[in-house]
Amino acid sequence: MGKLDGKVALITGAGSGIGRATAILFAQEGAKVAVVDVDQDGANGAVAEIGAKGGQAFAFKADVSRARDAEAMVAETVRRFGRLDIIYNNAGIFFPAQVHSMSEEEWDRMLSINLKGVFLGCKYALAELMKHGGVILATGSIAGLEGHNGEPHYGAAKAGVINLMKSIAMDYAHYNIRANCICPGGVQTNIAKEIVNRIAPEQLVKMGQLAMTHSLIKRQAQPEEIARAALFLCSDDASFITGHTLVVDGGWTAGHRMAFFDS
Ligand SMILES: NC(=O)c1ccc[n+]([C@@H]2O[C@H](COP(=O)([O-])OP(=O)(O)OC[C@H]3O[C@@H](n4cnc5c(N)ncnc54)[C@H](O)[C@@H]3O)[C@@H](O)[C@H]2O)c1
């Protein structure tokens, strides 16, 4: 018996990385999955992988920052599978910037996808979830919990996501809806794809190594390690957990090392 038997889950950004690993795991656990991504090929690939393992899923192309797309992804899920029980707002982008040199368009793009996209997903999913209860999950980041240099727009969006999940938990608990947030540290995915051609290869390698330097478990997470946390929060194993921010960062934010005591 799977942990999500009989459930219908919609996952955004499910064509790659954390979302894809979660879509595969949710399907293995018995959920029917709407694999939503702006990248149609990525979404198709995830659906093929789920199908090959005997799971049920369909791919849907949507830009989560557009209200019409967000409404359509929920409507198509309900049309195909008859209901919606879980929405995992996971789609996101990353590129570094600093406030003094960031354009208004760069700020707007980051906030539109990484924060407004979560609002829109929740807005249209809630109409379905309020009929019978359900679960909302979002991917935040440790960058939303503490200041990180070089990514103020990303951190501001993720801080917004964390608060949005807590606020939704408060407003919809009486509909039997739980809302939580996962905050990963460094995860080995394609999140840096936008900048691979814009920064020197050695800088890219250094970016990948950040998790090795800063986390206590000296490596990046694999997307499957975040997916398992998502499964926990979306299943009945977390039936009494709502308004929670689950940090999955290998100890990156556990504290500040005081070299004085090291020897
Ligand atoms: N990788 C990390 O180190 C890390 C750390 C903390 C948080 N996160 C967050 O995890 C989430 C998933 O990212 P990932 O690391 O798996 O990266 P990824 O690039 O592998 O996957 C992100 C997916 O989102 C999709 N996407 C981007 N913009 C979209 C849009 N407008 N509409 C629909 N889909 C869109 C992409 O096409 C891609 O398939 C993001 O919210 C990211 O901010 C990642």
Side-chain angles (χ1 to χ4, degrees):
M1 205 177 111
K3 286 181 185 285
L4 299 178
D5 278 344
K7 303 291 185 193
V8 174
L10 186 164
I11 304 174
T12 68
S16 174
I18 294 168
R20 185 178 183 133
T22 306
I24 292 166
L25 182 60
F26 278 21
Q28 276 171 354
E29 291 291 335
K32 294 175 189 163
V33 183
V35 174
V36 175
D37 206 293
V38 74
D39 171 11
Q40 178 87 58
D41 290 343
N44 288 341
V47 167
E49 204 173 333
I50 289 168
K53 291 178 172 157
Q56 276 192 69
F58 75 95
F60 191 78
K61 181 175 178 173
D63 176 346
V64 294
S65 67
R66 294 162 55 108
R68 236 177 309 164
D69 286 17
E71 187 173 16
M73 74 189 182
V74 172
E76 183 62 11
T77 305
V78 174
R79 193 186 73 75
R80 295 245 191 172
F81 293 145
R83 58 188 285 130
L84 179 68
D85 300 287
I86 297 163
I87 182 162
Y88 181 15
N89 297 287
N90 163 76
I93 57 164
F94 175 79
F95 59 90
Q98 286 186 319
V99 168
H100 73 281
S101 51
M102 192 185 327
S103 69
E104 188 180 347
E105 288 71 28
E106 286 175 316
W107 173 268
D108 284 346
R109 180 159 175 264
M110 178 61 76
L111 273 286
S112 287
I113 296 172
N114 285 19
L115 179 56
K116 185 176 135 190
V118 178
F119 153 70
L120 289 173
C122 294
K123 175 178 165 66
Y124 293 107
L126 273 165
E128 290 303 317
L129 301 182
M130 285 162 72
K131 292 176 184 168
H132 44 62
V135 183
I136 295 176
L137 183 63
T139 308
S141 165
I142 57 169
L145 291 168
E146 59 179 21
H148 283 187
N149 55 304
E151 47 185 57
H153 52 338
Y154 183 77
K158 294 300 189 181
V161 168
I162 292 165
N163 192 284
L164 181 58
M165 288 304 106
K166 288 178 189 279
S167 302
I168 286 176
M170 297 192 73
D171 280 337
Y172 298 96
H174 63 288
Y175 287 98
N176 196 25
I177 294 169
R178 298 186 294 106
N180 294 297
C181 190
I182 290 184
C183 285
V187 191
Q188 199 175 356
T189 69
N190 292 321
I191 192 77
K193 61 183 171 296
E194 278 202 29
I195 53 170
V196 288
N197 297 324
R198 284 201 269 147
I199 64 175
E202 57 273 18
Q203 287 299 105
L204 203 63
V205 172
K206 277 189 187 160
M207 226 179 88
Q209 287 170 341
L210 277 174
M212 278 178 232
T213 316
H214 292 284
S215 64
L216 302 179
I217 302 171
K218 300 267 171 214
R219 61 174 175 83
Q220 289 184 306
Q222 292 304 305
E224 292 74 16
E225 294 178 288
I226 312 301
R228 288 198 291 273
L231 173 63
F232 168 66
L233 288 172
C234 290
S235 73
D236 285 343
D237 285 345
S239 55
F240 204 57
I241 299 177
T242 193
H244 186 67
T245 305
L246 182 60
V247 176
V248 188
D249 69 347
W252 187 318
T253 54
H256 300 282
R257 177 160 296 281
M258 293 174 282
F260 178 78
F261 294 111
D262 266 351
S263 57

